[in-house]
Amino acid sequence: MSKTQTYSFNLPTRGAEIDGRYRVVEQIGEGSYGWVFAVEHQFLGQTFAMKILHPRVASDPSWVVRFREEAKSTSLIGHENIVFVTDFGKCRNYGYFFVMEHLEGASLDAVIAEEAPLGMQRSLRITLQAASALSSAHDLGIVHRDLKPGNIMLVERSDGSEASKLLDFGISSIVMVAAKSSQLYGTPAYMAPEQAVQPDVDHRADQFSLAAILYEMLTGQKPWLTTSWDDATPEARTTPPRPPSELREEVGEALDEVILRALSVRFEDRWSSIDEFSRGLVSACSVQWIPKSDPLDFWAEATEVDEVAPQVTVRTPSAGESLVIVLDDVGDVDFETRPQVTVRFRTADRLAREYRRNLLAGGLFLPSDEQPELHSEVDLCLVFEPSARSLEVRAQVVAHSSPAGERGGFGVAISADDRDRLTHFLRSLRLGLELSQADVVRPMREPTPDEDLSAAEAFLFSRIDEAMPVAKIRTFASGLPFDVEQAIQSLVERGCLEIEPADLSSLSEVSQIHEAEVWATELPTEARTPERVRTAGAAALVDDDTRLPWLDEQGENGGKRGSLAEPSEISYSRQEVGRVLAMVRYFKARQNYFGAIQVLRKALEVSPSVPEFYHQLALLHAQFRGDYPRAFQALHGAIQLDPQNDEYKRTRAYLEKLAGLDE
C-alpha cells in the first residue's frame, strides 16, 4: 500500500526577504504547482511577480529543469504579447522560485465568464495578438501546448488600449524535452485531440487551442462538451462542432470556415501555420486592426543604430503639383491631394517583425513626428532597401500614437484591394517568412577564399555543419543582431546551403526539433562556439593578434564561473554592436533583465572583444542580481580591452561603493 507524502511548508509573509533581493508585498495567486506573490526588487525598486514552487514539485528534479527552461525559452522571444520570466533561483527558506513580469489586469477566463459573448472586434483583436506571439514562439520551435483563457491576461497599455499577454510556458515543447518527460499534459477543453494520446505535437496544436478560445469568446460556448480527458481524444470528437454563426448570426459563414478549419480533428486538415490562420481571420471579416509601434525602434534610435527603425517621409503635395480627380456624390468633378508617404525598411529582420506585428493583419505603423490627418487617405510607398524593391499601395490613417517614453507615429490600414499585392510582394522578398520551423537546411560546399562573407553568414555557416531544422538555427541565433533568414537565403544563393521543405503532414520532424532545442540550450558554450570560422572571408574575421580572452558566463553549463575561454573569431560591425546594445536597453526598459543578460552572453560568444558588452554585463550582475564578484570579473574584461575608458573606471568605483553598502 503506497503512502501519500505530506509536505510541511511555511509560506513567506508580507515583508519577508527572498534570496537577498526580493521583498514580499502580498500573495496574489495559488495553483497546483505553487504560489504567486507580488514582490519588490530591493536593488531596483520595481515590482515583479514571483512563483514559489510547491515542495511536491520542487522535489522532482525534472520539474526544476522544466521551470528553468521556461525562463530561458521565454526570455529572449521579446514579444510584447508574451509575459517574460526574468529570474530563476533557489533560496534556503522557500526553495525554488522564478520571477515574472508583474501584470495588472484580468484573465481572459474571468472576462469570458462575466461578459461572453465578447464583441466581434475585441475577440478578433485578442486572437490576432495571441497569434502574433505564438508565431514568434513557433519560429524558435516552441509549442505552448497549454493555451487556454486562464493563460491569457488582458492588460491596459499606456495609451489606454487593451493588450493580451500569453502566460505559462511550463509544459511547452522545449520545457518537456529538457525535463525528459513523456507524460501527457494539457487542458482537455482546449487542447488538440492528438495531444490527448501522444506527447509529441507540433505548432498546429496551438492553432487548435486558439481557435477553441476564439469560438468561446464569440459564442459563449466551448466547441465540444468536455468533462474528462477521454472527451478530448480524436475518437470523442468525431462530430464537428456547430458553426459559430448558428449561435451568433453576425459571425457569418466566411468566419465559420476559418475557425472550423483550425478546429479540424486531423491536424493535417488545419491551416499550415498560425500566420495562415491569422490571414484567414483577417480576410474573412472586416476587422479594423490598430497598428502598434515597435518599442525596439525607440531604443535602437537612442543607441544611434540608424538602420533598425524604418525611415519615414511624409509629403503633402500642393494642389497644382499632384491632383487626383474624383466624383462627388452628385457627380461633379472635384480635386483632392493625398499625402505621399514613403517608408524604407533597411533590414530584413525589422520588416519581418513588422509583418508579424501589423502587416499580417493589414496594417502598418510608421514612426514619424509628422502625422497626416486621422482618417485621411495616403499613397504609401513601401521600400525594402536590401534588394532595392518597392511597392505602392493605397492606405488610410487609422490611428495617431505617442507611446509613453517612445517615439510617436501613425498607423495605417492597407486598402483591401491592395492586400493580396502586399502579401505577394512580401513573399517575393524571401525574408524567410514562409520558412517552416521544420524545413531542413543542409551544408553544400565551403565558401571560397575570395567570398567576403558577412559576420552573419560566417557565423551561421560555422554552426551549420550538418543538416538541421530551421527551428534549431533560429534558437541558437535568437538574441543576436543578425538578419538570420536573410543570411540563410544569401548562403543558399551562394550555393553554400540548400533548403529542403519539410513534410507538414508528418509529426516525425518534431522529435528532431526537440533534440535541436536541447542541443542549443544544454551543451556547454565551448562546444557550441566554433574553434575556427571555416571561411577566409576577411571582413568576418578578427586577426590572431587581436584575440582576447573572454569571460565565460555559462557557469551552470559546465564552465567555471568567471573562467576565461577562447573566443570565436567573428567580429561585429559597429552597427551590429549598436543593435546588441539596443536590444539590451529594450529588455532593461521592459524589466526583462534575464533577457538582457542572455543577449549579452550570446553576443560575447560571437564577438568577445567588445568592451561595452562586458561593461553592461557588469552593471546587470551588480544591479539586478547583487552578484559583485561576477560583476567585477565582467568589468575587469571591459577595462582590459579599453584601459583608457574613464566611464569604466567610474563604474568600478560605483560597484565598490555598492558592494561596501551591501556588506
Side-chain angles (χ1 to χ4, degrees):
M1 182 176 178
S2 63
K3 295 182 179 180
T4 301
Q5 187 172 0
T6 60
Y7 297 90
S8 176
F9 187 76
N10 294 320
L11 290 176
T13 57
R14 182 181 179 88
E17 186 179 276
I18 298 177
D19 200 38
R21 289 178 289 156
Y22 300 100
R23 183 180 59 81
V24 173
V25 177
E26 61 179 339
Q27 183 175 342
I28 57 177
E30 180 178 351
S32 56
Y33 302 140
W35 303 267
V36 182
F37 296 85
V39 296
E40 182 182 60
H41 195 292
Q42 297 191 80
F43 304 151
L44 302 171
Q46 295 168 341
T47 301
F48 295 90
M50 174 184 285
K51 177 179 281 190
I52 295 178
L53 305 189
H54 194 288
R56 169 180 54 82
V57 174
S59 62
D60 183 344
S62 69
W63 278 86
V64 175
V65 171
R66 280 181 54 179
F67 286 106
R68 187 186 71 232
E69 291 307 314
E70 178 182 355
K72 287 183 177 181
S73 64
T74 60
S75 66
L76 279 176
I77 296 176
H79 196 289
E80 68 172 2
N81 296 118
I82 295 178
V83 67
F84 54 80
V85 178
T86 194
D87 202 3
F88 178 88
K90 181 182 182 181
C91 66
R92 185 179 61 183
N93 294 333
Y94 307 112
Y96 287 99
F97 65 87
F98 64 90
V99 181
M100 304 168 285
E101 175 184 10
H102 182 260
L103 301 175
E104 293 185 0
S107 65
L108 181 57
D109 60 346
V111 172
I112 289 175
E114 294 179 7
E115 303 178 28
L118 306 187
M120 288 279 293
Q121 297 289 312
R122 186 185 187 191
S123 299
L124 289 164
R125 280 197 295 269
I126 291 170
T127 303
L128 289 171
Q129 288 175 7
S132 177
L134 288 170
S135 177
S136 294
H138 292 172
D139 271 354
L140 301 180
I142 300 172
V143 183
H144 190 287
R145 303 200 337 161
D146 195 23
L147 200 62
K148 57 186 177 182
N151 280 338
I152 298 178
M153 193 84 167
L154 302 181
V155 299
E156 185 177 318
R157 287 192 178 100
S158 58
D159 61 2
S161 62
E162 184 179 69
S164 59
K165 289 271 193 177
L166 301 193
L167 314 176
D168 198 356
F169 280 73
I171 65 168
S172 67
S173 54
I174 190 170
V175 171
M176 297 305 290
V177 170
K180 298 180 173 62
S181 174
S182 59
Q183 288 186 265
L184 300 177
Y185 292 96
T187 303
Y190 302 97
M191 70 185 187
E194 65 270 20
Q195 194 172 334
V197 295
Q198 62 187 49
D200 285 343
V201 296
D202 72 359
H203 55 281
R204 287 166 291 186
D206 284 346
Q207 180 190 141
F208 180 97
S209 300
L210 187 57
I213 293 169
L214 175 58
Y215 188 106
E216 187 175 10
M217 285 193 289
L218 291 173
T219 68
Q221 298 182 23
K222 296 178 177 63
W224 286 273
L225 178 62
T226 308
T227 59
S228 68
W229 192 273
D230 290 340
D231 294 335
T233 62
E235 293 75 18
R237 288 176 168 170
T238 53
T239 302
R242 293 177 64 187
S245 62
E246 290 186 7
L247 302 170
R248 183 176 180 176
E249 187 176 351
E250 66 178 303
V251 171
E253 293 183 1
L255 190 53
D256 277 349
E257 292 179 6
V258 175
I259 296 173
L260 293 178
R261 179 175 174 182
L263 288 173
S264 297
V265 173
R266 283 168 36 91
F267 59 83
E268 302 95 332
D269 297 334
R270 297 174 204 150
W271 299 90
S272 62
S273 69
I274 201 76
D275 290 345
E276 289 293 333
F277 177 42
S278 296
R279 276 195 287 269
L281 291 174
V282 171
S283 63
C285 57
S286 57
V287 60
Q288 180 64 73
W289 180 256
I290 304 300
K292 298 300 178 185
S293 63
D294 188 332
L296 186 54
D297 286 345
F298 173 79
W299 296 108
E301 190 175 75
T303 318
E304 299 180 350
V305 189
D306 58 10
E307 95 284 8
V308 173
Q311 190 176 51
V312 178
T313 57
V314 180
R315 182 170 175 270
T316 303
S318 63
E321 186 180 7
S322 178
L323 298 179
V324 180
I325 301 176
V326 297
L327 296 177
D328 61 19
D329 292 339
V330 295
D332 294 333
V333 175
D334 197 2
F335 298 92
E336 67 176 27
T337 59
R338 280 197 296 267
Q340 298 172 354
V341 179
T342 301
V343 54
R344 297 178 178 275
F345 286 91
R346 289 167 282 182
T347 69
D349 178 67
R350 180 60 185 84
L351 181 54
R353 283 209 315 275
E354 188 66 22
Y355 170 79
R356 292 204 166 87
R357 293 179 68 82
N358 294 311
L359 287 170
L360 191 59
L364 176 65
F365 186 87
L366 301 108
S368 172
D369 295 328
E370 187 176 353
Q371 302 177 1
E373 290 184 10
L374 197 61
H375 307 306
S376 64
E377 287 193 339
V378 299
D379 291 325
L380 176 66
C381 180
L382 191 154
V383 180
F384 182 58
E385 289 191 347
S387 59
R389 300 275 305 283
S390 64
L391 175 72
E392 294 184 359
V393 295
R394 183 79 59 82
Q396 183 181 39
V397 179
V398 294
H400 288 166
S401 177
S402 298
E406 297 170 14
R407 186 180 180 186
F410 60 99
V412 299
I414 309 298
S415 165
D417 294 337
D418 288 330
R419 289 186 184 179
D420 286 343
R421 291 177 56 234
L422 175 64
T423 299
H424 178 75
F425 173 72
L426 292 171
R427 287 178 173 173
S428 72
L429 297 179
R430 303 177 69 185
L431 302 176
L433 298 172
E434 304 307 316
L435 286 178
S436 163
Q437 57 165 321
D439 287 346
V440 175
V441 178
R442 301 180 186 278
M444 296 298 293
R445 68 167 180 84
E446 297 276 342
T448 60
D450 60 344
E451 288 183 282
D452 194 16
L453 301 188
S454 68
E457 292 166 351
F459 170 76
L460 288 182
F461 192 81
S462 71
R463 293 293 185 94
I464 305 174
D465 54 1
E466 61 182 356
M468 62 179 66
V470 168
K472 178 176 180 176
I473 299 171
R474 286 170 171 161
T475 297
F476 67 61
S478 64
L480 295 174
F482 298 146
D483 294 334
V484 176
E485 273 75 12
Q486 191 175 39
I488 292 174
Q489 295 290 359
S490 177
L491 288 168
V492 169
E493 291 172 2
R494 292 175 184 269
C496 299
L497 300 176
E498 72 169 0
I499 299 174
E500 178 182 320
D503 178 10
L504 287 177
S505 65
S506 171
L507 282 177
S508 62
E509 76 272 10
V510 174
S511 60
Q512 292 179 306
I513 295 168
H514 287 171
E515 291 172 3
E517 292 160 351
V518 175
W519 179 90
T521 57
E522 289 192 343
L523 286 183
T525 299
E526 292 82 359
R528 303 202 314 269
T529 304
E531 292 182 2
R532 186 83 186 173
V533 177
R534 294 176 296 148
T535 175
L541 302 181
V542 177
D543 294 335
D544 286 344
D545 291 340
T546 65
R547 293 175 62 189
L548 292 168
W550 62 287
L551 189 66
D552 176 16
E553 290 291 332
Q554 299 285 83
E556 68 274 16
N557 283 340
K560 293 182 180 179
R561 181 168 165 173
S563 64
L564 296 176
E566 281 293 301
S568 68
E569 303 189 35
I570 299 172
S571 178
Y572 283 155
S573 68
R574 183 185 67 83
Q575 292 292 346
E576 287 164 342
V577 170
R579 291 172 71 182
V580 170
L581 297 177
M583 282 190 281
V584 170
R585 293 181 69 173
Y586 165 66
F587 280 129
K588 287 173 67 176
R590 293 298 182 272
Q591 302 177 15
N592 185 356
Y593 300 98
F594 189 82
I597 289 172
Q598 293 294 94
V599 166
L600 289 167
R601 283 180 173 180
K602 289 200 169 194
L604 285 169
E605 284 185 33
V606 180
S607 189
S609 57
V610 180
E612 188 59 22
F613 293 167
Y614 296 95
H615 180 225
Q616 292 298 322
L617 200 55
L619 291 171
L620 283 163
H621 281 311
Q623 295 171 338
F624 176 60
R625 288 185 164 167
D627 189 342
Y628 298 109
R630 184 173 284 189
F632 280 114
Q633 289 260 12
L635 186 60
H636 178 66
I639 294 174
Q640 269 191 316
L641 290 164
D642 189 0
Q644 304 304 316
N645 192 304
D646 291 336
E647 183 180 1
Y648 298 164
K649 296 174 183 177
R650 288 193 294 270
T651 297
R652 182 169 57 190
Y654 167 69
L655 294 185
E656 289 170 349
K657 182 177 180 180
L658 280 183
L661 291 173
D662 197 50
E663 290 178 353

